[in-house]
Amino acid sequence: MRKFFTTRNIVIILVILAVTLLSAIFLRVPLPTIVLPAEKAFKFGNFYITNTFVATIIADITILVLAFLATRKMNDVPSGLQNLMEWFIETFYNFNEEIAGKAHFKKFFPIFMTILIFVLIANWWELVPGVDSIGKIEPLEIAYEEAGVTTGWKKQELPGGIYTLVAESVQLTPEQRAELDARSAEGEHGEELDHHTSAVGGYVLVPYVRAATTDLNVPLALALISVFWTQVVGVQALGVGYFRKFFVPPMTGNFVLDLIVGFLELISEFAKIISFTFRLFGNIFAGAVLLFVMTFLIAFIVPLPFYVLEVFVGFMQAFVFAILTLIFMTMATISHEHEEEHH
């Protein structure tokens, strides 16, 4: 311990503490607006593009760019990005073989890796500077009508005509909310409200890019694909008889008990969709909120450990989603009849 508390280390610790304290006092940032639905980032005519859709496209492009850069100059002795990607893919290739077995792993591996890489990249984009922090500034009244937001912030003009929000909150009063509700009920909100100037002086940031997996639609779509493909794999392996496990599977030999078991199997398939969806969405959305809050409280140094934590969480959630899909596909290829004969 004495070696740690040297003069140099003590000075570094004091500087870090001083910077952290000063940032908490003088470098205050507004808390980003936390809403569950994806926000409308761009408008083309009557068609809106959400910020999570933009993030999904960016994640897809990122994967394509990585694939191009890793394979454009293939060498027998890999190095750099090619070496990293080959190690990454080979690790999970062997992992798939151990779990799914030699009979099926080559069919399951592309599905596993597609889910793993897409969800991983989509999750990690949450940590890129500018995501959730660069966008268009809209009046609080618009945010209230579209997402029920009641708290906004003052805005400030920077050099070059750029606007930013400052940590001075503005709340809609009950009377103002009642007036906006009345306008909405009369169908006047789209035409009457100014999309640039707030009558109450409050504004919110609508980011151009928001992590794709913080939109419930993306985890739900992935869950539906996972469960649907599991049924396809089951039919390919066992034929139409695969669906027998949802009705009267030959598990106990007792018709009533087998009927109950089949019903539970059917319920479990739908439960997988809910489990997949909310596990991924809940963890990534909660991580984003955690980063928002920590940056709002202390903008400098303190949030860094939480960024490291989210790197780990982003990987684990992608891995869990992919590995559960692999396990369910493997289980779908096993015939209950064969299990019964084995016992």
Side-chain angles (χ1 to χ4, degrees), residues 29-312:
V29 297
L31 181 67
T33 304
I34 301 172
V35 294
L36 286 177
E39 298 100 325
K40 301 171 182 176
F42 302 98
K43 181 179 180 181
F44 297 95
N46 295 324
F47 181 74
Y48 287 95
I49 295 179
T50 63
N51 45 19
T52 52
F53 178 80
V54 175
T56 302
I57 298 301
I58 291 176
D60 293 335
I61 294 174
T62 302
I63 295 171
L64 293 175
V65 170
L66 286 174
F68 171 76
L69 294 176
T71 58
R72 62 174 179 169
K73 293 182 179 179
M74 298 287 286
N75 297 315
D76 294 334
V77 180
S79 61
L81 184 60
Q82 179 191 343
N83 189 33
L84 177 63
M85 295 300 291
E86 286 190 8
W87 167 81
F88 185 77
I89 293 173
E90 184 178 355
T91 298
F92 287 107
Y93 185 85
N94 297 331
F95 182 75
N96 272 243
E97 184 176 5
E98 292 177 3
I99 293 180
K102 293 184 178 181
H104 299 289
F105 84 98
K106 289 185 178 180
K107 180 189 298 183
F108 298 164
F109 179 69
I111 303 169
F112 173 90
M113 285 305 298
T114 299
I115 292 175
L116 176 65
I117 294 176
F118 171 77
V119 177
L120 179 63
I121 297 298
N123 290 348
W124 280 355
W125 260 103
E126 174 191 13
L127 307 175
V128 175
V131 173
D132 279 319
S133 60
I134 296 178
K136 59 181 180 180
I137 294 177
E138 284 194 340
L140 178 57
E141 295 92 327
I142 302 296
Y144 175 76
E145 292 208 344
E146 293 187 350
V149 179
T150 60
T151 302
W153 306 91
K154 296 284 188 179
K155 74 175 182 179
Q156 177 182 345
E157 185 175 4
L158 300 176
I162 299 174
Y163 286 90
T164 186
L165 300 181
V166 296
E168 184 179 349
S169 63
V170 176
Q171 295 277 352
L172 285 176
T173 64
E175 294 78 13
Q176 291 167 337
R177 294 200 297 268
E179 181 182 353
L180 291 171
D181 290 337
R183 286 188 177 186
S184 180
E186 295 173 1
E188 298 179 356
H189 57 283
E191 295 78 13
E192 297 295 326
L193 292 177
D194 189 339
H195 281 252
H196 299 286
T197 305
S198 170
V200 299
Y203 298 85
V204 298
L205 176 71
V206 178
Y208 292 133
V209 182
R210 168 180 157 186
T213 43
T214 62
D215 182 355
L216 189 61
N217 292 296
V218 175
L220 176 59
L222 291 170
L224 290 171
I225 292 171
S226 173
V227 173
F228 172 77
W229 202 253
T230 299
Q231 314 313 310
V232 171
V233 166
V235 173
Q236 289 177 340
L238 306 177
V240 181
Y242 163 79
F243 293 108
R244 185 179 177 184
K245 74 173 186 176
F246 299 125
F247 300 100
V248 190
M251 297 290 289
T252 66
N254 183 293
F255 178 80
V256 176
L257 290 179
D258 286 344
L259 187 65
I260 294 174
V261 171
F263 178 73
L264 293 177
E265 283 277 358
L266 184 62
I267 295 298
S268 70
E269 291 300 305
F270 290 98
K272 289 175 186 176
I273 299 174
I274 299 174
S275 175
F276 269 133
T277 301
F278 285 97
R279 181 188 295 109
L280 178 59
F281 167 75
N283 280 280
I284 303 306
F285 187 84
V289 173
L290 176 64
L291 295 179
F292 291 166
V293 172
M294 294 310 302
T295 306
F296 171 71
L297 295 175
I298 302 176
F300 194 67
I301 295 178
V302 171
L304 291 178
F306 295 94
Y307 275 85
V308 176
L309 174 64
E310 286 306 307
V311 170
F312 174 75

